[in-house]
Amino acid sequence: MANPLADFDWESVGTKGIGGGYSTEERARLEALIEGTLNVVTEKEVVKGTVVGITDREVILNIGFKSDGMVPTSEFRDMPELKVGDVVDVYVENQEDKSGQLILSRKLAKVMTAWKNIEDALEQDIVIDGFVKRRTKGGLIVDIFGVEAFLPGSQIDVKPIRDFDIFVGKKMEVKVVKINHANDNVVVSHKVLIEKDLEEQRQTILTNLEKGQVLEGVIKNMTNFGVFIDLGGVDGLLHITDISWGRINHPQELLKLDQKIQVVVLDFDENKKRISLGMKQLQAHPWDALAETTEVGSKVKGKVVNVADYGAFLEITQGVEGLIHVSEMSWSQHLRNPQDFLKVGDLIEAVVLTLDRSERKMSLGIKQLTEDPWTKQDLLARYAIGSKHTGTVRNLTNFGLFLELEEGIDGLVHVSDLSWTKKIKHPSEFVNVGDKLDVVVLELDVDGRKLSLGHKQTTANPWDKHEDAFAVGTIHTGTIAEIVDKGATVDFGDDVVAFIPTRHLEKEDGKKLKKGDEAEFKVIEFNKEFKRVVASHTA
């Protein structure tokens, strides 16, 4: 075997040293050839590197530089099958440290590459395959290119999502919608992908939409005034009044979220994309199915569904209601609050008073279930003139008060019939609403449904005895109580107040009596009907 060292010219490297035998031209040519085999490397950029060696602690990479670079083996944990000859991306941290070593990082290369891909995805509107790692407040954390991005809950789907956990651990296509480099924050959206497809569906639906069309939809949101229905890319509102022919307080009484239902298009505005839907219209109106036996005078049963100031509404069947006016709740002529008789939820019977099937209106009464007290045969005997009774004060007026003797039988007590002796200007000076009061029947008009009552008549008229005690010419001792216009008054007791004309106040000495003076007086006039006594000291 030939020995290559035997042919080497050792003289050429003698005292001149290695390379000393080259001319200047040859040296320049050789240096250019060497430089051509090396790459120009710039710090802080990502380059391709070839694995040339692997140890327990480091991976040696050749990036075409004058020296190889070292990367910790820990940065290749995701590549357990790494071998010599594999090409990977690395980040040039330092071309030459204090030890002359080229410093590389695969970890930073992955980060830089990921952010470059994210920026490209945003600029070029690229769809990215992401992986949902976990749930966070207000949304999800999605891994894209090794970077954690935030997917807001509102950007997951076009419809509200109530359970975010179902997406964790699954792949999801997303688009980058915002990058905040200051906080290394990325926001992505899955909703924008859906909206693009839905827009085409929405236009198709709106183009073919017409009143009366029956569609299937899914309940996506529920409010106290109605529900929003997803018709496949476009939403419609089903108002609470169009859910059922009967009364409901909230849609959840009949419907639930995510439920599929049939609806009919009632109206739509193509410009504003507003669609009004109905559900009850898919069923026959309950009035059309109302039994023929239901007529004026017939009895019906139902549930009180509303009580107002003027009356209550009774639901006969779902969607068929009748009004019971407050005047039809009691035979009493004085209206009271309907809540005194009925409350929502009561199950009662009523009589049909009026019925209009074409207008779908019905009026009802409950007082008709009992006999009209004014038509009872024993009425004349029970309320004979002079008979005594006790009633409840129901109403006060300027001229008197109305007293209820029994349900439906009211009588008027005139203000002048409250007291024999007191001058009462208003009944409130004597009684209050709700008080019990004893009365005597003064007059009864059955046809006119009128009853006149008196309270003072329950006792003897004190003026009957005053007629003798204060007869004209009798003398009484009294004290001047008040000086009034054209005279004075003297209180003789027993609610008898006499009037003394000015000219009858003169004494024997010519002077006149003053307030507080005691003297004798002679009765010069007595009128029982007007309860009037006139006396004189002068006489």
Side-chain angles (χ1 to χ4, degrees), residues 214-222 226-231 236-239 242-243 251 254-264 277-280 282:
V214 178
L215 302 171
E216 184 178 74
V218 178
I219 298 174
K220 62 181 292 187
N221 194 20
M222 192 173 292
V227 295
F228 289 93
I229 311 294
D230 182 357
L231 301 173
L237 173 62
L238 172 60
H239 197 270
D242 290 310
I243 294 176
L254 297 176
L255 303 172
K256 58 184 179 181
L257 289 171
D258 300 324
Q259 179 182 350
K260 284 186 177 181
I261 60 172
Q262 294 282 329
V263 289
V264 60
L277 304 173
M279 191 171 81
K280 71 181 183 181
L282 295 174

PDB file of all heavy atoms in Angstrom, residues 214-222 226-231 236-239 242-243 251 254-264 277-280 282:
ATOM      1  N   VAL A 214     -94.153  28.694   6.982  1.00  0.00           N
ATOM      2  CA  VAL A 214     -93.890  27.939   8.204  1.00  0.00           C
ATOM      3  C   VAL A 214     -92.436  27.465   8.180  1.00  0.00           C
ATOM      4  O   VAL A 214     -91.977  26.867   7.199  1.00  0.00           O
ATOM      5  CB  VAL A 214     -94.844  26.737   8.348  1.00  0.00           C
ATOM      6  CG1 VAL A 214     -94.511  25.942   9.600  1.00  0.00           C
ATOM      7  CG2 VAL A 214     -96.290  27.217   8.392  1.00  0.00           C
ATOM      8  N   LEU A 215     -91.697  27.753   9.260  1.00  0.00           N
ATOM      9  CA  LEU A 215     -90.283  27.399   9.352  1.00  0.00           C
ATOM     10  C   LEU A 215     -90.003  26.661  10.654  1.00  0.00           C
ATOM     11  O   LEU A 215     -90.772  26.752  11.619  1.00  0.00           O
ATOM     12  CB  LEU A 215     -89.415  28.666   9.302  1.00  0.00           C
ATOM     13  CG  LEU A 215     -89.564  29.569   8.068  1.00  0.00           C
ATOM     14  CD1 LEU A 215     -88.806  30.868   8.310  1.00  0.00           C
ATOM     15  CD2 LEU A 215     -89.051  28.857   6.822  1.00  0.00           C
ATOM     16  N   GLU A 216     -88.895  25.951  10.662  1.00  0.00           N
ATOM     17  CA  GLU A 216     -88.441  25.306  11.899  1.00  0.00           C
ATOM     18  C   GLU A 216     -87.247  26.084  12.432  1.00  0.00           C
ATOM     19  O   GLU A 216     -86.361  26.460  11.669  1.00  0.00           O
ATOM     20  CB  GLU A 216     -88.049  23.851  11.652  1.00  0.00           C
ATOM     21  CG  GLU A 216     -87.658  23.120  12.938  1.00  0.00           C
ATOM     22  CD  GLU A 216     -87.321  21.648  12.698  1.00  0.00           C
ATOM     23  OE1 GLU A 216     -86.224  21.387  12.154  1.00  0.00           O
ATOM     24  OE2 GLU A 216     -88.132  20.783  13.071  1.00  0.00           O
ATOM     25  N   GLY A 217     -87.230  26.325  13.705  1.00  0.00           N
ATOM     26  CA  GLY A 217     -86.135  27.066  14.307  1.00  0.00           C
ATOM     27  C   GLY A 217     -85.780  26.522  15.665  1.00  0.00           C
ATOM     28  O   GLY A 217     -86.463  25.661  16.228  1.00  0.00           O
ATOM     29  N   VAL A 218     -84.672  27.047  16.189  1.00  0.00           N
ATOM     30  CA  VAL A 218     -84.178  26.627  17.510  1.00  0.00           C
ATOM     31  C   VAL A 218     -84.156  27.844  18.428  1.00  0.00           C
ATOM     32  O   VAL A 218     -83.680  28.917  18.043  1.00  0.00           O
ATOM     33  CB  VAL A 218     -82.766  26.021  17.406  1.00  0.00           C
ATOM     34  CG1 VAL A 218     -82.252  25.626  18.789  1.00  0.00           C
ATOM     35  CG2 VAL A 218     -82.770  24.813  16.481  1.00  0.00           C
ATOM     36  N   ILE A 219     -84.670  27.695  19.631  1.00  0.00           N
ATOM     37  CA  ILE A 219     -84.695  28.793  20.602  1.00  0.00           C
ATOM     38  C   ILE A 219     -83.268  29.049  21.096  1.00  0.00           C
ATOM     39  O   ILE A 219     -82.645  28.171  21.698  1.00  0.00           O
ATOM     40  CB  ILE A 219     -85.614  28.464  21.792  1.00  0.00           C
ATOM     41  CG1 ILE A 219     -87.048  28.273  21.287  1.00  0.00           C
ATOM     42  CG2 ILE A 219     -85.550  29.562  22.850  1.00  0.00           C
ATOM     43  CD1 ILE A 219     -88.014  27.816  22.354  1.00  0.00           C
ATOM     44  N   LYS A 220     -82.748  30.250  20.812  1.00  0.00           N
ATOM     45  CA  LYS A 220     -81.372  30.581  21.190  1.00  0.00           C
ATOM     46  C   LYS A 220     -81.308  31.525  22.379  1.00  0.00           C
ATOM     47  O   LYS A 220     -80.281  31.610  23.045  1.00  0.00           O
ATOM     48  CB  LYS A 220     -80.619  31.190  20.007  1.00  0.00           C
ATOM     49  CG  LYS A 220     -81.205  32.499  19.496  1.00  0.00           C
ATOM     50  CD  LYS A 220     -80.431  33.032  18.297  1.00  0.00           C
ATOM     51  CE  LYS A 220     -79.030  33.484  18.660  1.00  0.00           C
ATOM     52  NZ  LYS A 220     -78.347  34.151  17.540  1.00  0.00           N
ATOM     53  N   ASN A 221     -82.387  32.271  22.635  1.00  0.00           N
ATOM     54  CA  ASN A 221     -82.387  33.194  23.769  1.00  0.00           C
ATOM     55  C   ASN A 221     -83.825  33.412  24.234  1.00  0.00           C
ATOM     56  O   ASN A 221     -84.758  33.360  23.434  1.00  0.00           O
ATOM     57  CB  ASN A 221     -81.749  34.529  23.383  1.00  0.00           C
ATOM     58  CG  ASN A 221     -81.432  35.382  24.590  1.00  0.00           C
ATOM     59  OD1 ASN A 221     -81.334  34.879  25.706  1.00  0.00           O
ATOM     60  ND2 ASN A 221     -81.277  36.669  24.388  1.00  0.00           N
ATOM     61  N   MET A 222     -83.974  33.645  25.535  1.00  0.00           N
ATOM     62  CA  MET A 222     -85.306  33.775  26.108  1.00  0.00           C
ATOM     63  C   MET A 222     -85.355  35.000  27.022  1.00  0.00           C
ATOM     64  O   MET A 222     -84.470  35.207  27.846  1.00  0.00           O
ATOM     65  CB  MET A 222     -85.646  32.511  26.903  1.00  0.00           C
ATOM     66  CG  MET A 222     -87.095  32.387  27.311  1.00  0.00           C
ATOM     67  SD  MET A 222     -87.452  30.770  28.064  1.00  0.00           S
ATOM     68  CE  MET A 222     -87.257  29.680  26.643  1.00  0.00           C
ATOM     69  N   GLY A 226     -90.413  37.650  25.196  1.00  0.00           N
ATOM     70  CA  GLY A 226     -90.481  36.710  24.083  1.00  0.00           C
ATOM     71  C   GLY A 226     -89.209  35.901  23.943  1.00  0.00           C
ATOM     72  O   GLY A 226     -88.334  35.930  24.820  1.00  0.00           O
ATOM     73  N   VAL A 227     -89.087  35.170  22.827  1.00  0.00           N
ATOM     74  CA  VAL A 227     -87.900  34.347  22.575  1.00  0.00           C
ATOM     75  C   VAL A 227     -87.351  34.650  21.179  1.00  0.00           C
ATOM     76  O   VAL A 227     -88.100  35.013  20.265  1.00  0.00           O
ATOM     77  CB  VAL A 227     -88.212  32.836  22.692  1.00  0.00           C
ATOM     78  CG1 VAL A 227     -88.606  32.465  24.101  1.00  0.00           C
ATOM     79  CG2 VAL A 227     -89.309  32.431  21.720  1.00  0.00           C
ATOM     80  N   PHE A 228     -86.030  34.504  21.050  1.00  0.00           N
ATOM     81  CA  PHE A 228     -85.377  34.686  19.758  1.00  0.00           C
ATOM     82  C   PHE A 228     -85.109  33.309  19.152  1.00  0.00           C
ATOM     83  O   PHE A 228     -84.537  32.426  19.801  1.00  0.00           O
ATOM     84  CB  PHE A 228     -84.076  35.469  19.924  1.00  0.00           C
ATOM     85  CG  PHE A 228     -84.302  36.919  20.255  1.00  0.00           C
ATOM     86  CD1 PHE A 228     -84.331  37.356  21.572  1.00  0.00           C
ATOM     87  CD2 PHE A 228     -84.515  37.845  19.247  1.00  0.00           C
ATOM     88  CE1 PHE A 228     -84.553  38.680  21.888  1.00  0.00           C
ATOM     89  CE2 PHE A 228     -84.744  39.180  19.544  1.00  0.00           C
ATOM     90  CZ  PHE A 228     -84.762  39.605  20.862  1.00  0.00           C
ATOM     91  N   ILE A 229     -85.530  33.157  17.908  1.00  0.00           N
ATOM     92  CA  ILE A 229     -85.452  31.872  17.213  1.00  0.00           C
ATOM     93  C   ILE A 229     -84.392  31.933  16.117  1.00  0.00           C
ATOM     94  O   ILE A 229     -84.396  32.844  15.286  1.00  0.00           O
ATOM     95  CB  ILE A 229     -86.807  31.501  16.580  1.00  0.00           C
ATOM     96  CG1 ILE A 229     -87.950  31.645  17.591  1.00  0.00           C
ATOM     97  CG2 ILE A 229     -86.762  30.099  16.009  1.00  0.00           C
ATOM     98  CD1 ILE A 229     -87.892  30.691  18.742  1.00  0.00           C
ATOM     99  N   ASP A 230     -83.473  30.968  16.127  1.00  0.00           N
ATOM    100  CA  ASP A 230     -82.469  30.835  15.061  1.00  0.00           C
ATOM    101  C   ASP A 230     -83.103  30.032  13.928  1.00  0.00           C
ATOM    102  O   ASP A 230     -83.428  28.852  14.083  1.00  0.00           O
ATOM    103  CB  ASP A 230     -81.234  30.123  15.613  1.00  0.00           C
ATOM    104  CG  ASP A 230     -80.121  30.007  14.556  1.00  0.00           C
ATOM    105  OD1 ASP A 230     -80.361  30.423  13.410  1.00  0.00           O
ATOM    106  OD2 ASP A 230     -79.041  29.511  14.888  1.00  0.00           O
ATOM    107  N   LEU A 231     -83.278  30.695  12.787  1.00  0.00           N
ATOM    108  CA  LEU A 231     -83.924  30.046  11.636  1.00  0.00           C
ATOM    109  C   LEU A 231     -82.909  29.466  10.661  1.00  0.00           C
ATOM    110  O   LEU A 231     -83.265  29.120   9.538  1.00  0.00           O
ATOM    111  CB  LEU A 231     -84.825  31.061  10.924  1.00  0.00           C
ATOM    112  CG  LEU A 231     -85.944  31.676  11.785  1.00  0.00           C
ATOM    113  CD1 LEU A 231     -86.642  32.784  11.024  1.00  0.00           C
ATOM    114  CD2 LEU A 231     -86.930  30.609  12.233  1.00  0.00           C
ATOM    115  N   GLY A 236     -85.307  35.444  14.378  1.00  0.00           N
ATOM    116  CA  GLY A 236     -86.653  36.010  14.386  1.00  0.00           C
ATOM    117  C   GLY A 236     -87.145  36.102  15.818  1.00  0.00           C
ATOM    118  O   GLY A 236     -86.702  35.349  16.691  1.00  0.00           O
ATOM    119  N   LEU A 237     -88.067  37.043  16.068  1.00  0.00           N
ATOM    120  CA  LEU A 237     -88.609  37.221  17.418  1.00  0.00           C
ATOM    121  C   LEU A 237     -90.012  36.635  17.500  1.00  0.00           C
ATOM    122  O   LEU A 237     -90.895  36.975  16.719  1.00  0.00           O
ATOM    123  CB  LEU A 237     -88.659  38.707  17.786  1.00  0.00           C
ATOM    124  CG  LEU A 237     -89.366  39.045  19.108  1.00  0.00           C
ATOM    125  CD1 LEU A 237     -88.637  38.401  20.283  1.00  0.00           C
ATOM    126  CD2 LEU A 237     -89.471  40.552  19.292  1.00  0.00           C
ATOM    127  N   LEU A 238     -90.177  35.749  18.458  1.00  0.00           N
ATOM    128  CA  LEU A 238     -91.488  35.189  18.782  1.00  0.00           C
ATOM    129  C   LEU A 238     -91.954  35.886  20.054  1.00  0.00           C
ATOM    130  O   LEU A 238     -91.481  35.589  21.152  1.00  0.00           O
ATOM    131  CB  LEU A 238     -91.392  33.669  18.991  1.00  0.00           C
ATOM    132  CG  LEU A 238     -92.638  32.952  19.515  1.00  0.00           C
ATOM    133  CD1 LEU A 238     -93.803  33.133  18.549  1.00  0.00           C
ATOM    134  CD2 LEU A 238     -92.357  31.477  19.751  1.00  0.00           C
ATOM    135  N   HIS A 239     -92.875  36.868  19.891  1.00  0.00           N
ATOM    136  CA  HIS A 239     -93.333  37.645  21.042  1.00  0.00           C
ATOM    137  C   HIS A 239     -94.176  36.775  21.965  1.00  0.00           C
ATOM    138  O   HIS A 239     -94.829  35.824  21.532  1.00  0.00           O
ATOM    139  CB  HIS A 239     -94.156  38.851  20.567  1.00  0.00           C
ATOM    140  CG  HIS A 239     -94.319  39.901  21.620  1.00  0.00           C
ATOM    141  ND1 HIS A 239     -95.367  39.907  22.507  1.00  0.00           N
ATOM    142  CD2 HIS A 239     -93.538  40.970  21.939  1.00  0.00           C
ATOM    143  CE1 HIS A 239     -95.253  40.933  23.328  1.00  0.00           C
ATOM    144  NE2 HIS A 239     -94.153  41.607  23.009  1.00  0.00           N
ATOM    145  N   ASP A 242     -97.634  35.878  21.122  1.00  0.00           N
ATOM    146  CA  ASP A 242     -97.858  35.008  19.962  1.00  0.00           C
ATOM    147  C   ASP A 242     -97.414  33.578  20.230  1.00  0.00           C
ATOM    148  O   ASP A 242     -97.326  32.762  19.310  1.00  0.00           O
ATOM    149  CB  ASP A 242     -97.113  35.556  18.737  1.00  0.00           C
ATOM    150  CG  ASP A 242     -97.738  36.843  18.220  1.00  0.00           C
ATOM    151  OD1 ASP A 242     -98.960  36.841  18.035  1.00  0.00           O
ATOM    152  OD2 ASP A 242     -97.007  37.826  18.027  1.00  0.00           O
ATOM    153  N   ILE A 243     -97.132  33.254  21.503  1.00  0.00           N
ATOM    154  CA  ILE A 243     -96.729  31.893  21.852  1.00  0.00           C
ATOM    155  C   ILE A 243     -97.954  31.015  22.058  1.00  0.00           C
ATOM    156  O   ILE A 243     -98.018  29.886  21.584  1.00  0.00           O
ATOM    157  CB  ILE A 243     -95.845  31.903  23.116  1.00  0.00           C
ATOM    158  CG1 ILE A 243     -94.515  32.611  22.818  1.00  0.00           C
ATOM    159  CG2 ILE A 243     -95.591  30.480  23.607  1.00  0.00           C
ATOM    160  CD1 ILE A 243     -93.605  32.757  24.026  1.00  0.00           C
ATOM    161  N   PRO A 251     -92.207  33.152  28.856  1.00  0.00           N
ATOM    162  CA  PRO A 251     -92.118  32.089  27.845  1.00  0.00           C
ATOM    163  C   PRO A 251     -91.678  30.736  28.402  1.00  0.00           C
ATOM    164  O   PRO A 251     -92.029  29.692  27.856  1.00  0.00           O
ATOM    165  CB  PRO A 251     -91.067  32.638  26.866  1.00  0.00           C
ATOM    166  CG  PRO A 251     -91.176  34.114  26.983  1.00  0.00           C
ATOM    167  CD  PRO A 251     -91.465  34.373  28.436  1.00  0.00           C
ATOM    168  N   LEU A 254     -93.846  27.538  28.817  1.00  0.00           N
ATOM    169  CA  LEU A 254     -94.182  26.606  27.740  1.00  0.00           C
ATOM    170  C   LEU A 254     -92.970  26.175  26.921  1.00  0.00           C
ATOM    171  O   LEU A 254     -93.010  25.127  26.263  1.00  0.00           O
ATOM    172  CB  LEU A 254     -95.217  27.236  26.800  1.00  0.00           C
ATOM    173  CG  LEU A 254     -96.591  27.586  27.407  1.00  0.00           C
ATOM    174  CD1 LEU A 254     -97.457  28.277  26.366  1.00  0.00           C
ATOM    175  CD2 LEU A 254     -97.277  26.336  27.933  1.00  0.00           C
ATOM    176  N   LEU A 255     -91.888  26.975  26.927  1.00  0.00           N
ATOM    177  CA  LEU A 255     -90.743  26.697  26.067  1.00  0.00           C
ATOM    178  C   LEU A 255     -89.452  26.600  26.879  1.00  0.00           C
ATOM    179  O   LEU A 255     -89.411  27.008  28.034  1.00  0.00           O
ATOM    180  CB  LEU A 255     -90.613  27.797  25.007  1.00  0.00           C
ATOM    181  CG  LEU A 255     -91.834  28.034  24.112  1.00  0.00           C
ATOM    182  CD1 LEU A 255     -91.623  29.276  23.264  1.00  0.00           C
ATOM    183  CD2 LEU A 255     -92.114  26.822  23.242  1.00  0.00           C
ATOM    184  N   LYS A 256     -88.395  26.088  26.224  1.00  0.00           N
ATOM    185  CA  LYS A 256     -87.094  26.015  26.878  1.00  0.00           C
ATOM    186  C   LYS A 256     -85.989  26.258  25.843  1.00  0.00           C
ATOM    187  O   LYS A 256     -86.202  26.095  24.633  1.00  0.00           O
ATOM    188  CB  LYS A 256     -86.902  24.671  27.563  1.00  0.00           C
ATOM    189  CG  LYS A 256     -87.006  23.474  26.644  1.00  0.00           C
ATOM    190  CD  LYS A 256     -86.910  22.171  27.430  1.00  0.00           C
ATOM    191  CE  LYS A 256     -87.052  20.955  26.499  1.00  0.00           C
ATOM    192  NZ  LYS A 256     -86.972  19.679  27.268  1.00  0.00           N
ATOM    193  N   LEU A 257     -84.817  26.635  26.324  1.00  0.00           N
ATOM    194  CA  LEU A 257     -83.683  26.926  25.439  1.00  0.00           C
ATOM    195  C   LEU A 257     -83.291  25.697  24.629  1.00  0.00           C
ATOM    196  O   LEU A 257     -83.404  24.562  25.100  1.00  0.00           O
ATOM    197  CB  LEU A 257     -82.490  27.414  26.262  1.00  0.00           C
ATOM    198  CG  LEU A 257     -82.620  28.818  26.880  1.00  0.00           C
ATOM    199  CD1 LEU A 257     -81.472  29.077  27.838  1.00  0.00           C
ATOM    200  CD2 LEU A 257     -82.650  29.876  25.785  1.00  0.00           C
ATOM    201  N   ASP A 258     -82.829  25.954  23.400  1.00  0.00           N
ATOM    202  CA  ASP A 258     -82.358  24.907  22.465  1.00  0.00           C
ATOM    203  C   ASP A 258     -83.483  24.004  21.960  1.00  0.00           C
ATOM    204  O   ASP A 258     -83.221  23.013  21.268  1.00  0.00           O
ATOM    205  CB  ASP A 258     -81.256  24.049  23.099  1.00  0.00           C
ATOM    206  CG  ASP A 258     -80.045  24.862  23.495  1.00  0.00           C
ATOM    207  OD1 ASP A 258     -79.719  25.819  22.771  1.00  0.00           O
ATOM    208  OD2 ASP A 258     -79.422  24.558  24.527  1.00  0.00           O
ATOM    209  N   GLN A 259     -84.717  24.340  22.267  1.00  0.00           N
ATOM    210  CA  GLN A 259     -85.850  23.537  21.788  1.00  0.00           C
ATOM    211  C   GLN A 259     -86.151  23.867  20.331  1.00  0.00           C
ATOM    212  O   GLN A 259     -86.128  25.021  19.918  1.00  0.00           O
ATOM    213  CB  GLN A 259     -87.068  23.827  22.666  1.00  0.00           C
ATOM    214  CG  GLN A 259     -88.320  23.062  22.251  1.00  0.00           C
ATOM    215  CD  GLN A 259     -89.521  23.412  23.127  1.00  0.00           C
ATOM    216  OE1 GLN A 259     -89.380  24.070  24.149  1.00  0.00           O
ATOM    217  NE2 GLN A 259     -90.704  22.978  22.714  1.00  0.00           N
ATOM    218  N   LYS A 260     -86.435  22.839  19.534  1.00  0.00           N
ATOM    219  CA  LYS A 260     -86.832  23.027  18.145  1.00  0.00           C
ATOM    220  C   LYS A 260     -88.344  23.193  18.084  1.00  0.00           C
ATOM    221  O   LYS A 260     -89.095  22.398  18.666  1.00  0.00           O
ATOM    222  CB  LYS A 260     -86.422  21.822  17.292  1.00  0.00           C
ATOM    223  CG  LYS A 260     -84.949  21.762  16.961  1.00  0.00           C
ATOM    224  CD  LYS A 260     -84.656  20.628  15.989  1.00  0.00           C
ATOM    225  CE  LYS A 260     -83.169  20.603  15.596  1.00  0.00           C
ATOM    226  NZ  LYS A 260     -82.880  19.515  14.632  1.00  0.00           N
ATOM    227  N   ILE A 261     -88.800  24.238  17.401  1.00  0.00           N
ATOM    228  CA  ILE A 261     -90.234  24.492  17.304  1.00  0.00           C
ATOM    229  C   ILE A 261     -90.608  24.926  15.893  1.00  0.00           C
ATOM    230  O   ILE A 261     -89.771  25.406  15.142  1.00  0.00           O
ATOM    231  CB  ILE A 261     -90.701  25.570  18.310  1.00  0.00           C
ATOM    232  CG1 ILE A 261     -89.970  26.901  18.047  1.00  0.00           C
ATOM    233  CG2 ILE A 261     -90.504  25.113  19.738  1.00  0.00           C
ATOM    234  CD1 ILE A 261     -90.507  28.057  18.870  1.00  0.00           C
ATOM    235  N   GLN A 262     -91.874  24.758  15.570  1.00  0.00           N
ATOM    236  CA  GLN A 262     -92.425  25.217  14.300  1.00  0.00           C
ATOM    237  C   GLN A 262     -93.008  26.618  14.517  1.00  0.00           C
ATOM    238  O   GLN A 262     -93.740  26.852  15.491  1.00  0.00           O
ATOM    239  CB  GLN A 262     -93.520  24.271  13.817  1.00  0.00           C
ATOM    240  CG  GLN A 262     -93.031  22.879  13.454  1.00  0.00           C
ATOM    241  CD  GLN A 262     -92.368  22.840  12.098  1.00  0.00           C
ATOM    242  OE1 GLN A 262     -92.716  23.598  11.202  1.00  0.00           O
ATOM    243  NE2 GLN A 262     -91.403  21.942  11.929  1.00  0.00           N
ATOM    244  N   VAL A 263     -92.701  27.529  13.622  1.00  0.00           N
ATOM    245  CA  VAL A 263     -93.220  28.898  13.717  1.00  0.00           C
ATOM    246  C   VAL A 263     -93.681  29.353  12.338  1.00  0.00           C
ATOM    247  O   VAL A 263     -93.268  28.806  11.318  1.00  0.00           O
ATOM    248  CB  VAL A 263     -92.156  29.876  14.262  1.00  0.00           C
ATOM    249  CG1 VAL A 263     -91.880  29.635  15.731  1.00  0.00           C
ATOM    250  CG2 VAL A 263     -90.864  29.782  13.450  1.00  0.00           C
ATOM    251  N   VAL A 264     -94.524  30.384  12.347  1.00  0.00           N
ATOM    252  CA  VAL A 264     -95.017  30.950  11.096  1.00  0.00           C
ATOM    253  C   VAL A 264     -94.563  32.405  11.015  1.00  0.00           C
ATOM    254  O   VAL A 264     -94.511  33.115  12.021  1.00  0.00           O
ATOM    255  CB  VAL A 264     -96.553  30.845  11.007  1.00  0.00           C
ATOM    256  CG1 VAL A 264     -97.217  31.603  12.142  1.00  0.00           C
ATOM    257  CG2 VAL A 264     -97.062  31.353   9.665  1.00  0.00           C
ATOM    258  N   LEU A 277     -92.393  36.388  14.351  1.00  0.00           N
ATOM    259  CA  LEU A 277     -92.846  35.005  14.233  1.00  0.00           C
ATOM    260  C   LEU A 277     -94.038  34.751  15.158  1.00  0.00           C
ATOM    261  O   LEU A 277     -94.261  35.468  16.127  1.00  0.00           O
ATOM    262  CB  LEU A 277     -91.710  34.047  14.589  1.00  0.00           C
ATOM    263  CG  LEU A 277     -90.409  34.210  13.799  1.00  0.00           C
ATOM    264  CD1 LEU A 277     -89.320  33.315  14.368  1.00  0.00           C
ATOM    265  CD2 LEU A 277     -90.636  33.890  12.320  1.00  0.00           C
ATOM    266  N   GLY A 278     -94.783  33.713  14.834  1.00  0.00           N
ATOM    267  CA  GLY A 278     -95.909  33.307  15.665  1.00  0.00           C
ATOM    268  C   GLY A 278     -95.929  31.801  15.822  1.00  0.00           C
ATOM    269  O   GLY A 278     -95.502  31.066  14.925  1.00  0.00           O
ATOM    270  N   MET A 279     -96.421  31.343  16.948  1.00  0.00           N
ATOM    271  CA  MET A 279     -96.546  29.901  17.187  1.00  0.00           C
ATOM    272  C   MET A 279     -98.015  29.515  17.393  1.00  0.00           C
ATOM    273  O   MET A 279     -98.469  28.486  16.906  1.00  0.00           O
ATOM    274  CB  MET A 279     -95.728  29.494  18.413  1.00  0.00           C
ATOM    275  CG  MET A 279     -95.591  27.988  18.574  1.00  0.00           C
ATOM    276  SD  MET A 279     -94.411  27.521  19.867  1.00  0.00           S
ATOM    277  CE  MET A 279     -95.432  27.708  21.310  1.00  0.00           C
ATOM    278  N   LYS A 280     -98.753  30.383  18.083  1.00  0.00           N
ATOM    279  CA  LYS A 280    -100.155  30.063  18.350  1.00  0.00           C
ATOM    280  C   LYS A 280    -100.970  30.062  17.058  1.00  0.00           C
ATOM    281  O   LYS A 280    -101.999  29.386  16.970  1.00  0.00           O
ATOM    282  CB  LYS A 280    -100.740  31.061  19.347  1.00  0.00           C
ATOM    283  CG  LYS A 280    -100.965  32.474  18.800  1.00  0.00           C
ATOM    284  CD  LYS A 280    -101.536  33.399  19.860  1.00  0.00           C
ATOM    285  CE  LYS A 280    -101.828  34.791  19.293  1.00  0.00           C
ATOM    286  NZ  LYS A 280    -102.359  35.714  20.332  1.00  0.00           N
ATOM    287  N   LEU A 282    -100.434  28.621  14.430  1.00  0.00           N
ATOM    288  CA  LEU A 282    -100.434  27.304  13.785  1.00  0.00           C
ATOM    289  C   LEU A 282    -101.566  26.430  14.314  1.00  0.00           C
ATOM    290  O   LEU A 282    -101.772  25.319  13.831  1.00  0.00           O
ATOM    291  CB  LEU A 282     -99.089  26.606  14.009  1.00  0.00           C
ATOM    292  CG  LEU A 282     -97.876  27.286  13.347  1.00  0.00           C
ATOM    293  CD1 LEU A 282     -96.593  26.585  13.759  1.00  0.00           C
ATOM    294  CD2 LEU A 282     -98.020  27.303  11.838  1.00  0.00           C
TER     295      LEU A 282
END
